[in-house]
Amino acid sequence: MKRAGQKVVAGTEAPGTSQTNKKQKTSLCGSGFGESEPCTSMDWGSLPHHVILRVFQFLTLVDRARASSVCRRWNEVFHIPDLWRRFEFELSQPATSYLKSTHPDLIQQIIKRHADHLQYVSFKVDSSTESAEAACDILSQLVNCSIKTLGLISTAKPSFMNVSKAHFASALTVVFVNSKSLSSIKIDDTPLDDPSLKVLVANNSDTLKLLKMSSCPHVSPAGILCVADQCHGLKELALNYYILSDELLLALSSEKHVDLEHLRIDVVSENPGQVQFHTIKKQSWDALVKHSPKVNIVMYFFLYEDEFDAFFREETPVTHLYFGRAVSKAMLGRIGMNCPRLIELVVCANGLQPLDDELIQIAERCKNLTAMGLGECEVTCRGFIEFVKMCGGRLTQLSIMEEVLIPDSDYSLDRLHLEVSKHLGRMWFPDMMPTW
């Protein structure tokens, strides 16, 4: 029934209308032509759990917490275990850090209500010892956890190293003993020790697949060997060179062990001349590659020039090489001779002697090379073009500082980029700054 030119929105209810339909709200909605049409407003509180859960998964933790106060139903979804499988604790000291921090009340709520739901957990801490200790305190309370992945991340200096070894080991023991299903652990720059590794192996040997523990000075070669001997499903391992041994490579090559996919080795020296680096036998490397023919062996070098003597004297199956300090021409020559599996090479500095011969040798012998980066080095334009010509289109990444290239009588910098682009099969220009 119309009255004074207005449209009646609510009509008469048909017989048999359900109680649910009675609760639906109606309002005037624009039709797009200046008229109003009847429409039904959504009762957000009546959304199914799985729909609310899907929405919550796209929200930040803060927004999710705010949304949980809308109604009782949304608050119930807020505590559904699926939303607490993955969590990153952010711990910082407001007075000294710009990083945000997880609210203490939320941390206590997680420990009380969701500790047994946590599966993928990481701790991001600032440079303060207090934050690292707070992370250990939280780990110590996860007595009912079933964590699958654990990561301890220091955003600045390695603050976990300032925590007492006893406190750190006690916290890790709680997680290692109670989880029983750890598959991935990233605990670089921590006071991890051999007894802690033994606890890890005793409780998680059947599930551990990834272990990253670079810069853990309290771990010995025997400690990591224990892991390799017992964790036959280990596929990725990151460690420092000082605990790498022939025995470890042979253990990773045993018939019981699955194929290793990724081995990262950090070769670091803080005090020049005070570290004597040992040599790994060629037979040990050969055994590893025979067992795991597709393994990526990544080596990061932070050494001084006179400390490279132990490396690449014999054939070494390294695939990725990164030099963070100056490396000599002789060393690059050995790489060209003895690294046939090399895929990527990054040299941050070399000196004032052109590297033409070394690059050409690398191009000739390293048939898998697909990525190259050169920083403070020198290469003539002719030598560089010859290198690119030999590698051809397989060089998918080529990052060379413009200052590295020395013009000669054959090529100027303007002509060089055209020649290089022709051999690569794509447009290429030298970099104005390092991109690796």
Side-chain angles (χ1 to χ4, degrees):
M1 180 177 186
K2 295 182 179 180
R3 183 187 306 168
Q6 293 183 344
K7 188 176 292 185
V8 178
V9 176
T12 27
E13 184 180 303
T17 302
S18 67
Q19 188 66 23
T20 302
N21 289 338
K22 288 182 181 180
K23 293 183 179 180
Q24 289 183 341
K25 301 176 182 178
T26 57
S27 61
L28 295 177
C29 298
S31 64
F33 298 97
E35 297 182 2
S36 297
E37 299 290 341
C39 70
T40 304
S41 297
M42 175 63 70
D43 182 1
W44 293 97
S46 65
L47 285 174
H49 271 196
H50 72 276
V51 174
I52 305 173
L53 178 63
R54 182 64 175 163
V55 173
F56 274 27
Q57 288 172 337
F58 288 97
L59 300 179
T60 64
L61 179 62
V62 173
D63 290 337
R64 198 187 301 167
R66 289 171 178 164
S68 70
S69 63
V70 168
C71 62
R72 180 179 299 176
R73 189 178 185 85
W74 285 31
N75 188 264
E76 291 172 356
V77 175
F78 179 69
H79 292 289
I80 286 180
D82 285 350
L83 284 175
W84 300 98
R85 305 286 188 214
R86 189 181 303 273
F87 193 83
E88 181 175 72
F89 293 91
E90 296 179 293
L91 304 171
S92 63
Q93 304 302 308
T96 58
S97 175
Y98 65 90
L99 299 174
K100 60 182 179 180
S101 187
T102 307
H103 196 281
D105 291 344
L106 177 59
I107 292 175
Q108 289 306 310
Q109 187 179 61
I110 292 171
I111 292 172
K112 291 179 180 179
R113 299 190 60 172
H114 302 293
D116 55 338
H117 303 149
L118 295 172
Q119 293 184 355
Y120 310 96
V121 180
S122 61
F123 291 82
K124 183 186 291 185
V125 303
D126 63 7
S127 59
S128 69
T129 304
E130 292 83 359
S131 296
E133 289 178 339
C136 293
D137 291 339
I138 295 171
L139 285 170
S140 300
Q141 298 178 67
L142 300 181
V143 293
N144 296 317
C145 64
S146 55
I147 294 175
K148 294 183 178 179
T149 70
L150 174 65
L152 303 182
I153 305 164
S154 297
T155 56
K157 65 180 182 181
S159 51
F160 282 102
M161 291 302 299
N162 297 325
V163 177
S164 73
K165 190 165 68 170
H167 187 192
F168 185 80
S170 175
L172 279 189
T173 298
V174 171
V175 177
F176 289 172
V177 169
N178 290 285
S179 291
K180 306 288 187 185
S181 58
L182 276 164
S183 64
S184 174
I185 306 174
K186 300 177 183 180
I187 44 178
D188 300 324
D189 299 298
T190 64
L192 179 73
D193 58 10
D194 289 358
S196 298
L197 284 178
K198 289 182 179 180
V199 175
L200 169 67
V201 169
N203 293 277
N204 300 272
S205 61
D206 293 336
T207 57
L208 189 65
K209 293 179 173 59
L210 181 151
L211 177 59
K212 292 187 176 182
M213 40 164 286
S214 296
S215 301
C216 295
H218 302 301
V219 175
S220 71
I224 189 60
L225 182 59
C226 172
V227 176
D229 279 337
Q230 301 296 323
C231 300
H232 297 142
L234 192 65
K235 294 183 177 182
E236 295 187 42
L237 177 62
L239 44 73
N240 278 75
Y241 185 82
Y242 79 92
I243 58 174
L244 184 70
S245 65
D246 295 294
E247 293 78 11
L248 176 62
L249 293 181
L250 294 175
L252 294 171
S253 308
S254 70
E255 293 182 1
K256 296 179 180 180
H257 209 287
V258 301
D259 285 7
L260 193 67
E261 296 177 358
H262 193 90
L263 175 62
R264 169 176 169 159
I265 305 163
D266 289 353
V267 191
V268 181
S269 171
E270 298 295 341
N271 302 307
Q274 295 186 17
V275 178
Q276 190 70 31
F277 291 97
H278 60 285
T279 301
I280 300 297
K281 296 177 182 177
K282 181 179 181 298
Q283 296 90 324
S284 304
W285 287 120
D286 290 345
L288 178 65
V289 174
K290 182 179 180 180
H291 177 268
S292 305
K294 295 182 179 181
V295 61
N296 285 318
I297 301 175
V298 184
M299 298 185 75
Y300 286 81
F301 281 89
F302 296 90
L303 301 183
Y304 296 91
E305 283 195 39
D306 57 352
E307 296 179 315
F308 283 103
D309 190 63
F311 301 98
F312 308 118
R313 292 289 182 181
E314 296 183 300
E315 187 171 300
T316 307
V318 63
T319 56
H320 298 72
L321 271 175
Y322 305 93
F323 293 94
R325 292 178 183 154
V327 58
S328 67
K329 281 171 61 71
M331 181 65 172
L332 291 174
R334 297 208 299 267
I335 290 170
M337 287 291 295
N338 295 317
C339 299
R341 297 179 77 240
L342 190 63
I343 295 173
E344 182 174 8
L345 174 63
V346 173
V347 180
C348 291
N350 167 257
L352 300 178
Q353 295 178 300
L355 298 176
D356 297 20
D357 294 340
E358 289 74 21
L359 289 184
I360 290 171
Q361 185 177 31
I362 289 171
E364 181 180 7
R365 297 180 64 89
C366 303
K367 300 297 185 182
N368 299 315
L369 188 71
T370 61
M372 169 69 81
L374 294 178
E376 297 178 11
C377 308
E378 287 194 356
V379 183
T380 66
C381 288
R382 171 188 281 185
F384 181 63
I385 289 174
E386 183 64 23
F387 165 77
V388 174
K389 183 179 179 180
M390 295 176 70
C391 292
R394 77 170 190 257
L395 278 178
T396 57
Q397 297 181 45
L398 184 59
S399 178
I400 309 296
M401 294 281 289
E402 185 173 326
E403 292 79 3
V404 168
L405 301 166
I406 306 172
D408 50 40
S409 57
D410 294 324
Y411 297 99
S412 64
L413 289 177
D414 291 335
R415 186 183 170 196
L416 176 131
H417 90 83
L418 294 175
E419 285 292 319
V420 172
S421 298
K422 179 179 71 174
H423 294 302
L424 291 179
R426 65 182 187 275
M427 189 60 68
W428 179 88
F429 290 93
D431 297 324
M432 300 304 294
M433 61 182 64
T435 58
W436 55 82

PDB file of all heavy atoms in Angstrom, residues 63-88:
ATOM      1  N   ASP A  63      44.295  -6.506  14.660  1.00  0.00           N
ATOM      2  CA  ASP A  63      42.952  -6.400  14.089  1.00  0.00           C
ATOM      3  C   ASP A  63      42.100  -7.604  14.450  1.00  0.00           C
ATOM      4  O   ASP A  63      40.887  -7.497  14.656  1.00  0.00           O
ATOM      5  CB  ASP A  63      43.033  -6.248  12.568  1.00  0.00           C
ATOM      6  CG  ASP A  63      43.590  -4.900  12.144  1.00  0.00           C
ATOM      7  OD1 ASP A  63      43.499  -3.954  12.959  1.00  0.00           O
ATOM      8  OD2 ASP A  63      44.110  -4.786  11.025  1.00  0.00           O
ATOM      9  N   ARG A  64      42.728  -8.755  14.530  1.00  0.00           N
ATOM     10  CA  ARG A  64      41.998  -9.964  14.908  1.00  0.00           C
ATOM     11  C   ARG A  64      41.498  -9.847  16.343  1.00  0.00           C
ATOM     12  O   ARG A  64      40.356 -10.228  16.660  1.00  0.00           O
ATOM     13  CB  ARG A  64      42.928 -11.168  14.765  1.00  0.00           C
ATOM     14  CG  ARG A  64      42.220 -12.504  14.699  1.00  0.00           C
ATOM     15  CD  ARG A  64      43.230 -13.621  14.726  1.00  0.00           C
ATOM     16  NE  ARG A  64      44.178 -13.543  13.624  1.00  0.00           N
ATOM     17  CZ  ARG A  64      45.302 -14.242  13.564  1.00  0.00           C
ATOM     18  NH1 ARG A  64      45.632 -15.042  14.575  1.00  0.00           N
ATOM     19  NH2 ARG A  64      46.108 -14.128  12.534  1.00  0.00           N
ATOM     20  N   ALA A  65      42.332  -9.311  17.217  1.00  0.00           N
ATOM     21  CA  ALA A  65      41.930  -9.138  18.618  1.00  0.00           C
ATOM     22  C   ALA A  65      40.780  -8.144  18.727  1.00  0.00           C
ATOM     23  O   ALA A  65      39.847  -8.340  19.519  1.00  0.00           O
ATOM     24  CB  ALA A  65      43.128  -8.672  19.441  1.00  0.00           C
ATOM     25  N   ARG A  66      40.847  -7.062  17.951  1.00  0.00           N
ATOM     26  CA  ARG A  66      39.750  -6.088  17.972  1.00  0.00           C
ATOM     27  C   ARG A  66      38.459  -6.710  17.462  1.00  0.00           C
ATOM     28  O   ARG A  66      37.376  -6.490  18.019  1.00  0.00           O
ATOM     29  CB  ARG A  66      40.128  -4.885  17.113  1.00  0.00           C
ATOM     30  CG  ARG A  66      41.222  -4.006  17.719  1.00  0.00           C
ATOM     31  CD  ARG A  66      41.703  -2.971  16.725  1.00  0.00           C
ATOM     32  NE  ARG A  66      42.721  -2.100  17.303  1.00  0.00           N
ATOM     33  CZ  ARG A  66      43.522  -1.326  16.598  1.00  0.00           C
ATOM     34  NH1 ARG A  66      43.435  -1.312  15.268  1.00  0.00           N
ATOM     35  NH2 ARG A  66      44.422  -0.556  17.199  1.00  0.00           N
ATOM     36  N   ALA A  67      38.563  -7.486  16.383  1.00  0.00           N
ATOM     37  CA  ALA A  67      37.371  -8.113  15.823  1.00  0.00           C
ATOM     38  C   ALA A  67      36.738  -9.101  16.791  1.00  0.00           C
ATOM     39  O   ALA A  67      35.526  -9.309  16.793  1.00  0.00           O
ATOM     40  CB  ALA A  67      37.724  -8.817  14.512  1.00  0.00           C
ATOM     41  N   SER A  68      37.568  -9.709  17.653  1.00  0.00           N
ATOM     42  CA  SER A  68      37.042 -10.699  18.593  1.00  0.00           C
ATOM     43  C   SER A  68      36.105 -10.088  19.620  1.00  0.00           C
ATOM     44  O   SER A  68      35.355 -10.806  20.299  1.00  0.00           O
ATOM     45  CB  SER A  68      38.196 -11.406  19.308  1.00  0.00           C
ATOM     46  OG  SER A  68      38.849 -10.521  20.203  1.00  0.00           O
ATOM     47  N   SER A  69      36.120  -8.756  19.757  1.00  0.00           N
ATOM     48  CA  SER A  69      35.245  -8.099  20.735  1.00  0.00           C
ATOM     49  C   SER A  69      33.894  -7.716  20.136  1.00  0.00           C
ATOM     50  O   SER A  69      33.054  -7.136  20.830  1.00  0.00           O
ATOM     51  CB  SER A  69      35.941  -6.843  21.287  1.00  0.00           C
ATOM     52  OG  SER A  69      36.152  -5.899  20.250  1.00  0.00           O
ATOM     53  N   VAL A  70      33.659  -8.039  18.862  1.00  0.00           N
ATOM     54  CA  VAL A  70      32.389  -7.689  18.219  1.00  0.00           C
ATOM     55  C   VAL A  70      31.230  -8.435  18.858  1.00  0.00           C
ATOM     56  O   VAL A  70      30.181  -7.855  19.168  1.00  0.00           O
ATOM     57  CB  VAL A  70      32.455  -7.990  16.707  1.00  0.00           C
ATOM     58  CG1 VAL A  70      31.070  -7.922  16.072  1.00  0.00           C
ATOM     59  CG2 VAL A  70      33.406  -7.023  16.015  1.00  0.00           C
ATOM     60  N   CYS A  71      31.400  -9.726  19.061  1.00  0.00           N
ATOM     61  CA  CYS A  71      30.333 -10.528  19.659  1.00  0.00           C
ATOM     62  C   CYS A  71      30.927 -11.823  20.196  1.00  0.00           C
ATOM     63  O   CYS A  71      32.102 -12.139  19.949  1.00  0.00           O
ATOM     64  CB  CYS A  71      29.226 -10.836  18.643  1.00  0.00           C
ATOM     65  SG  CYS A  71      29.790 -11.796  17.220  1.00  0.00           S
ATOM     66  N   ARG A  72      30.114 -12.582  20.884  1.00  0.00           N
ATOM     67  CA  ARG A  72      30.588 -13.820  21.494  1.00  0.00           C
ATOM     68  C   ARG A  72      31.026 -14.824  20.436  1.00  0.00           C
ATOM     69  O   ARG A  72      32.024 -15.523  20.603  1.00  0.00           O
ATOM     70  CB  ARG A  72      29.479 -14.428  22.356  1.00  0.00           C
ATOM     71  CG  ARG A  72      29.886 -15.738  23.042  1.00  0.00           C
ATOM     72  CD  ARG A  72      28.768 -16.291  23.890  1.00  0.00           C
ATOM     73  NE  ARG A  72      28.409 -15.360  24.958  1.00  0.00           N
ATOM     74  CZ  ARG A  72      27.408 -15.543  25.805  1.00  0.00           C
ATOM     75  NH1 ARG A  72      26.651 -16.629  25.688  1.00  0.00           N
ATOM     76  NH2 ARG A  72      27.147 -14.655  26.741  1.00  0.00           N
ATOM     77  N   ARG A  73      30.308 -14.878  19.334  1.00  0.00           N
ATOM     78  CA  ARG A  73      30.622 -15.844  18.284  1.00  0.00           C
ATOM     79  C   ARG A  73      32.011 -15.568  17.693  1.00  0.00           C
ATOM     80  O   ARG A  73      32.807 -16.476  17.466  1.00  0.00           O
ATOM     81  CB  ARG A  73      29.558 -15.792  17.199  1.00  0.00           C
ATOM     82  CG  ARG A  73      29.666 -16.902  16.151  1.00  0.00           C
ATOM     83  CD  ARG A  73      28.524 -16.760  15.155  1.00  0.00           C
ATOM     84  NE  ARG A  73      28.487 -17.852  14.202  1.00  0.00           N
ATOM     85  CZ  ARG A  73      27.892 -19.019  14.405  1.00  0.00           C
ATOM     86  NH1 ARG A  73      27.305 -19.250  15.566  1.00  0.00           N
ATOM     87  NH2 ARG A  73      27.890 -19.949  13.474  1.00  0.00           N
ATOM     88  N   TRP A  74      32.288 -14.287  17.448  1.00  0.00           N
ATOM     89  CA  TRP A  74      33.587 -13.925  16.886  1.00  0.00           C
ATOM     90  C   TRP A  74      34.704 -14.184  17.893  1.00  0.00           C
ATOM     91  O   TRP A  74      35.814 -14.526  17.520  1.00  0.00           O
ATOM     92  CB  TRP A  74      33.579 -12.463  16.446  1.00  0.00           C
ATOM     93  CG  TRP A  74      32.826 -12.239  15.169  1.00  0.00           C
ATOM     94  CD1 TRP A  74      31.758 -12.936  14.711  1.00  0.00           C
ATOM     95  CD2 TRP A  74      33.120 -11.254  14.186  1.00  0.00           C
ATOM     96  NE1 TRP A  74      31.339 -12.446  13.510  1.00  0.00           N
ATOM     97  CE2 TRP A  74      32.154 -11.402  13.155  1.00  0.00           C
ATOM     98  CE3 TRP A  74      34.063 -10.237  14.071  1.00  0.00           C
ATOM     99  CZ2 TRP A  74      32.128 -10.582  12.028  1.00  0.00           C
ATOM    100  CZ3 TRP A  74      34.047  -9.426  12.949  1.00  0.00           C
ATOM    101  CH2 TRP A  74      33.090  -9.602  11.941  1.00  0.00           C
ATOM    102  N   ASN A  75      34.411 -14.006  19.170  1.00  0.00           N
ATOM    103  CA  ASN A  75      35.401 -14.289  20.197  1.00  0.00           C
ATOM    104  C   ASN A  75      35.710 -15.779  20.257  1.00  0.00           C
ATOM    105  O   ASN A  75      36.846 -16.173  20.497  1.00  0.00           O
ATOM    106  CB  ASN A  75      34.905 -13.791  21.560  1.00  0.00           C
ATOM    107  CG  ASN A  75      35.971 -13.891  22.637  1.00  0.00           C
ATOM    108  OD1 ASN A  75      36.001 -14.850  23.384  1.00  0.00           O
ATOM    109  ND2 ASN A  75      36.843 -12.891  22.688  1.00  0.00           N
ATOM    110  N   GLU A  76      34.705 -16.608  20.020  1.00  0.00           N
ATOM    111  CA  GLU A  76      34.927 -18.056  19.991  1.00  0.00           C
ATOM    112  C   GLU A  76      35.865 -18.430  18.850  1.00  0.00           C
ATOM    113  O   GLU A  76      36.775 -19.244  19.016  1.00  0.00           O
ATOM    114  CB  GLU A  76      33.587 -18.789  19.839  1.00  0.00           C
ATOM    115  CG  GLU A  76      32.671 -18.694  21.063  1.00  0.00           C
ATOM    116  CD  GLU A  76      31.291 -19.273  20.796  1.00  0.00           C
ATOM    117  OE1 GLU A  76      31.037 -19.681  19.625  1.00  0.00           O
ATOM    118  OE2 GLU A  76      30.463 -19.320  21.722  1.00  0.00           O
ATOM    119  N   VAL A  77      35.640 -17.802  17.685  1.00  0.00           N
ATOM    120  CA  VAL A  77      36.491 -18.089  16.526  1.00  0.00           C
ATOM    121  C   VAL A  77      37.922 -17.624  16.785  1.00  0.00           C
ATOM    122  O   VAL A  77      38.886 -18.257  16.367  1.00  0.00           O
ATOM    123  CB  VAL A  77      35.916 -17.417  15.263  1.00  0.00           C
ATOM    124  CG1 VAL A  77      36.857 -17.607  14.075  1.00  0.00           C
ATOM    125  CG2 VAL A  77      34.542 -17.981  14.952  1.00  0.00           C
ATOM    126  N   PHE A  78      38.062 -16.508  17.503  1.00  0.00           N
ATOM    127  CA  PHE A  78      39.381 -15.963  17.826  1.00  0.00           C
ATOM    128  C   PHE A  78      40.260 -16.998  18.530  1.00  0.00           C
ATOM    129  O   PHE A  78      41.491 -16.994  18.391  1.00  0.00           O
ATOM    130  CB  PHE A  78      39.214 -14.718  18.705  1.00  0.00           C
ATOM    131  CG  PHE A  78      40.503 -14.070  19.123  1.00  0.00           C
ATOM    132  CD1 PHE A  78      41.309 -13.417  18.201  1.00  0.00           C
ATOM    133  CD2 PHE A  78      40.917 -14.104  20.444  1.00  0.00           C
ATOM    134  CE1 PHE A  78      42.494 -12.803  18.597  1.00  0.00           C
ATOM    135  CE2 PHE A  78      42.097 -13.500  20.850  1.00  0.00           C
ATOM    136  CZ  PHE A  78      42.882 -12.843  19.914  1.00  0.00           C
ATOM    137  N   HIS A  79      39.640 -17.907  19.276  1.00  0.00           N
ATOM    138  CA  HIS A  79      40.397 -18.901  20.034  1.00  0.00           C
ATOM    139  C   HIS A  79      40.407 -20.276  19.363  1.00  0.00           C
ATOM    140  O   HIS A  79      40.863 -21.250  19.977  1.00  0.00           O
ATOM    141  CB  HIS A  79      39.817 -19.022  21.443  1.00  0.00           C
ATOM    142  CG  HIS A  79      40.027 -17.795  22.279  1.00  0.00           C
ATOM    143  ND1 HIS A  79      41.252 -17.444  22.763  1.00  0.00           N
ATOM    144  CD2 HIS A  79      39.162 -16.822  22.688  1.00  0.00           C
ATOM    145  CE1 HIS A  79      41.149 -16.306  23.448  1.00  0.00           C
ATOM    146  NE2 HIS A  79      39.892 -15.918  23.417  1.00  0.00           N
ATOM    147  N   ILE A  80      39.939 -20.365  18.121  1.00  0.00           N
ATOM    148  CA  ILE A  80      40.004 -21.633  17.404  1.00  0.00           C
ATOM    149  C   ILE A  80      41.474 -22.016  17.198  1.00  0.00           C
ATOM    150  O   ILE A  80      42.288 -21.189  16.795  1.00  0.00           O
ATOM    151  CB  ILE A  80      39.270 -21.525  16.046  1.00  0.00           C
ATOM    152  CG1 ILE A  80      37.747 -21.515  16.284  1.00  0.00           C
ATOM    153  CG2 ILE A  80      39.639 -22.696  15.129  1.00  0.00           C
ATOM    154  CD1 ILE A  80      36.936 -21.405  15.009  1.00  0.00           C
ATOM    155  N   PRO A  81      41.858 -23.261  17.474  1.00  0.00           N
ATOM    156  CA  PRO A  81      43.269 -23.672  17.392  1.00  0.00           C
ATOM    157  C   PRO A  81      43.946 -23.349  16.063  1.00  0.00           C
ATOM    158  O   PRO A  81      45.139 -23.028  16.039  1.00  0.00           O
ATOM    159  CB  PRO A  81      43.198 -25.188  17.625  1.00  0.00           C
ATOM    160  CG  PRO A  81      41.988 -25.372  18.482  1.00  0.00           C
ATOM    161  CD  PRO A  81      41.000 -24.343  17.998  1.00  0.00           C
ATOM    162  N   ASP A  82      43.217 -23.428  14.935  1.00  0.00           N
ATOM    163  CA  ASP A  82      43.838 -23.192  13.633  1.00  0.00           C
ATOM    164  C   ASP A  82      44.475 -21.816  13.526  1.00  0.00           C
ATOM    165  O   ASP A  82      45.415 -21.621  12.754  1.00  0.00           O
ATOM    166  CB  ASP A  82      42.807 -23.351  12.513  1.00  0.00           C
ATOM    167  CG  ASP A  82      42.470 -24.810  12.250  1.00  0.00           C
ATOM    168  OD1 ASP A  82      43.175 -25.676  12.809  1.00  0.00           O
ATOM    169  OD2 ASP A  82      41.513 -25.097  11.519  1.00  0.00           O
ATOM    170  N   LEU A  83      43.955 -20.848  14.276  1.00  0.00           N
ATOM    171  CA  LEU A  83      44.510 -19.501  14.217  1.00  0.00           C
ATOM    172  C   LEU A  83      45.786 -19.362  15.030  1.00  0.00           C
ATOM    173  O   LEU A  83      46.464 -18.329  14.956  1.00  0.00           O
ATOM    174  CB  LEU A  83      43.481 -18.481  14.719  1.00  0.00           C
ATOM    175  CG  LEU A  83      42.337 -18.137  13.768  1.00  0.00           C
ATOM    176  CD1 LEU A  83      41.342 -17.212  14.444  1.00  0.00           C
ATOM    177  CD2 LEU A  83      42.860 -17.504  12.491  1.00  0.00           C
ATOM    178  N   TRP A  84      46.125 -20.369  15.807  1.00  0.00           N
ATOM    179  CA  TRP A  84      47.294 -20.272  16.688  1.00  0.00           C
ATOM    180  C   TRP A  84      48.366 -21.299  16.348  1.00  0.00           C
ATOM    181  O   TRP A  84      49.285 -21.527  17.119  1.00  0.00           O
ATOM    182  CB  TRP A  84      46.836 -20.442  18.143  1.00  0.00           C
ATOM    183  CG  TRP A  84      45.853 -19.384  18.531  1.00  0.00           C
ATOM    184  CD1 TRP A  84      44.491 -19.495  18.553  1.00  0.00           C
ATOM    185  CD2 TRP A  84      46.147 -18.042  18.901  1.00  0.00           C
ATOM    186  NE1 TRP A  84      43.914 -18.314  18.914  1.00  0.00           N
ATOM    187  CE2 TRP A  84      44.910 -17.386  19.143  1.00  0.00           C
ATOM    188  CE3 TRP A  84      47.324 -17.318  19.066  1.00  0.00           C
ATOM    189  CZ2 TRP A  84      44.826 -16.059  19.531  1.00  0.00           C
ATOM    190  CZ3 TRP A  84      47.249 -15.988  19.450  1.00  0.00           C
ATOM    191  CH2 TRP A  84      46.011 -15.381  19.675  1.00  0.00           C
ATOM    192  N   ARG A  85      48.252 -21.913  15.161  1.00  0.00           N
ATOM    193  CA  ARG A  85      49.286 -22.857  14.727  1.00  0.00           C
ATOM    194  C   ARG A  85      50.614 -22.129  14.488  1.00  0.00           C
ATOM    195  O   ARG A  85      51.683 -22.657  14.769  1.00  0.00           O
ATOM    196  CB  ARG A  85      48.873 -23.556  13.428  1.00  0.00           C
ATOM    197  CG  ARG A  85      47.530 -24.261  13.473  1.00  0.00           C
ATOM    198  CD  ARG A  85      47.585 -25.530  14.256  1.00  0.00           C
ATOM    199  NE  ARG A  85      46.338 -26.277  14.130  1.00  0.00           N
ATOM    200  CZ  ARG A  85      45.810 -27.001  15.084  1.00  0.00           C
ATOM    201  NH1 ARG A  85      46.405 -27.060  16.276  1.00  0.00           N
ATOM    202  NH2 ARG A  85      44.691 -27.652  14.889  1.00  0.00           N
ATOM    203  N   ARG A  86      50.515 -20.926  13.932  1.00  0.00           N
ATOM    204  CA  ARG A  86      51.709 -20.168  13.546  1.00  0.00           C
ATOM    205  C   ARG A  86      51.738 -18.856  14.323  1.00  0.00           C
ATOM    206  O   ARG A  86      50.783 -18.084  14.279  1.00  0.00           O
ATOM    207  CB  ARG A  86      51.672 -19.897  12.045  1.00  0.00           C
ATOM    208  CG  ARG A  86      52.951 -19.308  11.469  1.00  0.00           C
ATOM    209  CD  ARG A  86      52.782 -19.062   9.984  1.00  0.00           C
ATOM    210  NE  ARG A  86      52.428 -20.278   9.287  1.00  0.00           N
ATOM    211  CZ  ARG A  86      53.296 -21.164   8.824  1.00  0.00           C
ATOM    212  NH1 ARG A  86      54.593 -20.940   8.975  1.00  0.00           N
ATOM    213  NH2 ARG A  86      52.888 -22.250   8.200  1.00  0.00           N
ATOM    214  N   PHE A  87      52.848 -18.589  15.031  1.00  0.00           N
ATOM    215  CA  PHE A  87      52.913 -17.342  15.810  1.00  0.00           C
ATOM    216  C   PHE A  87      54.364 -16.886  15.938  1.00  0.00           C
ATOM    217  O   PHE A  87      55.269 -17.693  16.149  1.00  0.00           O
ATOM    218  CB  PHE A  87      52.319 -17.530  17.204  1.00  0.00           C
ATOM    219  CG  PHE A  87      52.073 -16.230  17.914  1.00  0.00           C
ATOM    220  CD1 PHE A  87      50.914 -15.510  17.680  1.00  0.00           C
ATOM    221  CD2 PHE A  87      53.011 -15.702  18.795  1.00  0.00           C
ATOM    222  CE1 PHE A  87      50.687 -14.301  18.317  1.00  0.00           C
ATOM    223  CE2 PHE A  87      52.797 -14.500  19.436  1.00  0.00           C
ATOM    224  CZ  PHE A  87      51.626 -13.791  19.192  1.00  0.00           C
ATOM    225  N   GLU A  88      54.558 -15.573  15.799  1.00  0.00           N
ATOM    226  CA  GLU A  88      55.876 -14.971  15.991  1.00  0.00           C
ATOM    227  C   GLU A  88      55.834 -14.051  17.200  1.00  0.00           C
ATOM    228  O   GLU A  88      55.111 -13.056  17.214  1.00  0.00           O
ATOM    229  CB  GLU A  88      56.305 -14.190  14.754  1.00  0.00           C
ATOM    230  CG  GLU A  88      57.691 -13.562  14.894  1.00  0.00           C
ATOM    231  CD  GLU A  88      58.162 -12.887  13.624  1.00  0.00           C
ATOM    232  OE1 GLU A  88      57.629 -11.814  13.291  1.00  0.00           O
ATOM    233  OE2 GLU A  88      59.060 -13.445  12.957  1.00  0.00           O
TER     234      GLU A  88
END
